[in-house]
C-alpha cells in the first residue's frame, strides 16, 4: 500500500515480529546464516514457509560445518562429528533479534542462527554466551568493540588465483596513513562502506587509511559483547562482499606480506555493574583503575599463553607476532602503551577500558571475545594480580618465561588443550574440539611447499 509504514528490521525482537516483517514486505525467500569455527558465514535462502517453521521449532543444519576447515576439508580427529557419526543434522535456532536489512539485495533480509543441544557446546556464538552468562552471575555486564585493519586489492577471486597470489595490485600505492588524499579519491567506496554498515546495524565510529598500500582501518561502535561479536563477524563478511561486487578484494589475514606490518583486530572491553556503573573506573585508584579492572587484566595476562590459539587462530597469525611490527610478543600489559599485548586505557566512567591488542584481523570474533572476556573474569574470580605495567618500548625489554607466548599454532593448540582454566571457562567439549581443529590447520600447512622454500633450497641445497 502507498505510504504504508513497514517494520524496521532492527525492531524485530520476537518470533511474531520476524513473521510479521516477512509478511509485510512480501518476502518469498529469507537469508539465514551461521558462523562456523573459523568465523566463516555459512547459510542459505529459505522459503517463507520453511522459515516460519524454523522460527517455531528450529531447523536442521548439517553439522559438517562444525567438522571441516575453512577450505571445506574434513577434520581427521574430531570427536564431536565425523564419518563415525555420519554427519547428521544439528539443531539450529533462528535469532529473531538478529534481523538485518540486506541493502545489496532487493527486498531481502538476513537472520542469524546458532547451534543448539550438543552442537551448542562447540558453537562459537554459544561459547561466548556461556562466558557472558558467567559474567551475569558475577553481577557484571561486558561491552566491547572491535577494530579491523584490512588491505584492499584491485583484484578478483579469479585474478588472484591466476597470479598464484603473487604481484597483487593494491587499490592505492605507498603508505599514506590517515590520508585525506586517498580517502577523498576513493570517497565513493568509503561512503558505500559507511552506509552499508549503518543500514546493517554495525556502525563504524572511525574509518581511515592505515600505513601501507590500500590498507584501511575501521573501528566499530561498542555494544554489549554478544552484539559486538555479531557486528564484527558481519562486518568482515560484508566488507569482503562489498569489495568483490566492486571488482576488488579485501583480506583480513593477520599478515599478507613480509614487507608490511600485520593487520590488527584489536578488541576494546569494559565491564559494568548491575546498576550500570563502570566496574573498571575508581577515582581513588592509580590511573582510575579499580581492583576489578586490575584483576581482570591480571587474568588476561596470566591465561594469554594458554588460550592464545583462540585468538591467534591461523598459521598465518604467528607471522604477525614478531618484534617491531606493532604486534606484541609476550603477555605484557601497560597503561596507554601500544607495544604491549594489553593496554589499559584510563578515562572517565564511560571510557575506561582494556584494549586486547594481541588480536589480529583474522580472529573469529565470537571465540576471541570469549577468550578475552573469559580470562578476565577468571582473573576477577581468583583475584589475579598482574605484573608491574611496562613503561617504554616493550620490544626492548626482557620478560620472564611465564609471559612468553607460543610461537606456532600447533604449540598454542597444545597449551589450550591442557589448560584447566580454559576447560572451566569454555567447556571441555569446546576446548577439545577447537584444539584439534587448530592442530589440523597446522598439519595442513605442513603439507605445503612454500615459495620461500623453493627459492631458498631448490638450486643451492
Amino acid at each position: 500500500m502507498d505510504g504504508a509504514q513497514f517494520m524496521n528490521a532492527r525492531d524485530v525482537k520476537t518470533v511474531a515480529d520476524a513473521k510479521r516483517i516477512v509478511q509485510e514486505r512480501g518476502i518469498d525467500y529469507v537469508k539465514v546464516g551461521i558462523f562456523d569455527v573459523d568465523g566463516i558465514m555459512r547459510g542459505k535462502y529459505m522459503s517463507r514457509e520453511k522459515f516460519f517453521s524454523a522460527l517455531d521449532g528450529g531447523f536442521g543444519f548439517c553439522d559438517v560445518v562444525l567438522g571441516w576447515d575453512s577450505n571445506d576439508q574434513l577434520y581427521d580427529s574430531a570427536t564431536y562429528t565425523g564419518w563415525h557419526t555420519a554427519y547428521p543434522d544439528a539443531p539450529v535456532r533462528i535469532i529473531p533479534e538478529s534481523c538485518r536489512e540486506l541493502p545489496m539485495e532487493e527486498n531481502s533480509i538476513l537472520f542469524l542462527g546458532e547451534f543448539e543441544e550438543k552442537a551448542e557446546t562447540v558453537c562459537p556464538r554459544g561459547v561466548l554466551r556461556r562466558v557472558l552468562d558467567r559474567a551475569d552471575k558475577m553481577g557484571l555486564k561486558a561491552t566491547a568493540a572491535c577494530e579491523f585493519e584490512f588491505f584492499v586489492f584491485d583484484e578478483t577471486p579469479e585474478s588472484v588465483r591466476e597470479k598464484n597470489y603473487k604481484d597483487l595490485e593494491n587499490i592505492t600505492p605507498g603508505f599514506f596513513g590517515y590520508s585525506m588524499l586517498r580517502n577523498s579519491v576513493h570517497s565513493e567506496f568509503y561512503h558505500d562502506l559507511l552506509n552499508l554498515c549503518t543500514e546493517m546495524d554495525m556502525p563504524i565510529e572511525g574509518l581511515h587509511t592505515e600505513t601501507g598500500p590500500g590498507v584501511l582501518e575501521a573501528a566499530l561502535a561498542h555494544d554489549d559483547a554478544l552484539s559486538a561479536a555479531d557486528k564484527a563477524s558481519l562486518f568482515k563478511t560484508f566488507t569482503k562482499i562489498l569489495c568483490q561486487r566492486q571488482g576488488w578484494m579485501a583480506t583480513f589475514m593477520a599478515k599478507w606480506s613480509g614487507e608490511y606490518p600485520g593487520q590488527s583486530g584489536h578488541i576494546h572491553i569494559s565491564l559494568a555493574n548491575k546498576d550500570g556503573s563502570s566496574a573498571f573506573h575508581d577515582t581513588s585508584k592509580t590511573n582510575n583503575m579499580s581492583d576489578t579492572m586490575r584483576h581482570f587484566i591480571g587474568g588476561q595476562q596470566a591465561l594469554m599463553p594458554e588460550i592464545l590459539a583462540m585468538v591467534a587462530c591461523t598459521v598465518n597469525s604467528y607471522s604477525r607476532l614478531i618484534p617491531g611490527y606493532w604486534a606484541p610478543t609476550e603477555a605484557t600489559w601497560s597503561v596507554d602503551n601500544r607495544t604491549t599485548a594489553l593496554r589499559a586505557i584510563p578515562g572517565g566512567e564511560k571510557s575506561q577500558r582494556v584494549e586486547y591488542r594481541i588480536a589480529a584481523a583474522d580472529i573469529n570474533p565470537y571465540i576471541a571475545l570469549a577468550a578475552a572476556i573469559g580470562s578476565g573474569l577468571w582473573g576477577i574470580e581468583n583475584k589475579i594480580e598482574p605484573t608491574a605495567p611496562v613503561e617504554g618500548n616493550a620490544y626492548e625489554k626482557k620478560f620472564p618465561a611465564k609471559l612468553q607466548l607460543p610461537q606456532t599454532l600447533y604449540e598454542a593448540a597444545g597449551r589450550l588443550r591442557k589448560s584447566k582454566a580454559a576447560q572451566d571457562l569454555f567447556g571441555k567439549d569446546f576446548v577439545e574440539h577447537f584444539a584439534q581443529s587448530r592442530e589440523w590447520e597446522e598439519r595442513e600447512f605442513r603439507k605445503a611447499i612454500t615459495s620461500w622454500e623453493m627459492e631458498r633450497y631448490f638450486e643451492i641445497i
Side-chain angles (χ1 to χ4, degrees), residues 261-273:
Q263 297 169 232
S264 67
H266 299 160
I267 305 169
H268 293 256
I269 302 167
S270 59
L271 291 182
N273 298 306

Side-chain angles (χ1 to χ4, degrees), residues 205-322:
E205 282 193 343
L207 178 64
H208 62 86
T209 59
E210 256 294 348
T211 297
V215 59
L216 282 66
E217 179 174 328
L220 303 182
H222 75 279
D223 205 334
D224 70 84
L226 190 59
S227 294
D230 288 339
K231 293 177 180 183
S233 301
L234 288 166
F235 173 79
K236 291 179 65 176
T237 301
F238 282 89
T239 296
K240 288 182 279 190
I241 291 170
L242 179 65
C243 286
Q244 290 197 26
R245 288 172 67 96
Q246 183 161 315
W248 292 351
M249 291 189 76
T251 183
F252 288 82
M253 287 180 67
K255 195 165 187 176
W256 74 275
S257 170
E259 298 178 18
Y260 308 108
Q263 297 169 232
S264 67
H266 299 160
I267 305 169
H268 293 256
I269 302 167
S270 59
L271 291 182
N273 298 306
K274 286 288 190 181
D275 63 4
S277 62
S278 172
F280 279 176
H281 188 259
D282 185 342
T283 56
S284 70
K285 303 288 185 178
T286 303
N287 296 311
N288 297 333
M289 281 178 54
S290 67
D291 293 341
T292 296
M293 182 176 182
R294 192 177 72 255
H295 293 147
F296 187 85
I297 291 172
Q300 289 182 317
Q301 183 184 36
L303 292 188
M304 189 178 293
E306 297 181 24
I307 64 172
L308 184 64
M310 294 175 64
V311 182
C313 54
T314 71
V315 171
N316 182 247
S317 304
Y318 297 82
S319 298
R320 170 178 169 266
L321 302 179
I322 56 177

Side-chain angles (χ1 to χ4, degrees), residues 189-214:
F189 171 72
Y190 280 76
H191 283 285
D192 284 348
L193 181 59
L194 291 166
N195 292 337
L196 173 69
C197 291
T198 297
E199 291 180 69
M200 292 190 68
D201 189 29
M202 46 185 187
I204 295 174
E205 282 193 343
L207 178 64
H208 62 86
T209 59
E210 256 294 348
T211 297

Side-chain angles (χ1 to χ4, degrees), residues 367-409:
I367 294 175
L369 271 166
I373 296 170
S375 57
L377 297 177
W378 180 86
I380 295 170
E381 290 171 334
N382 295 281
K383 293 184 168 53
I384 304 297
E385 292 292 341
T387 62
V390 172
E391 295 184 4
N393 187 354
Y395 299 131
E396 298 178 344
K397 300 180 184 299
K398 298 288 186 182
F399 298 99
K402 68 178 182 178
L403 299 183
Q404 299 298 312
L405 298 174
Q407 299 296 298
T408 66
L409 181 59

Side-chain angles (χ1 to χ4, degrees), residues 129-142 274 377:
R129 271 199 303 98
R130 290 195 296 276
V131 166
L132 299 178
D133 287 344
R134 190 184 192 110
D136 184 66
K137 291 174 183 176
M138 296 168 65
L140 299 168
K141 179 181 179 180
K274 286 288 190 181
L377 297 177

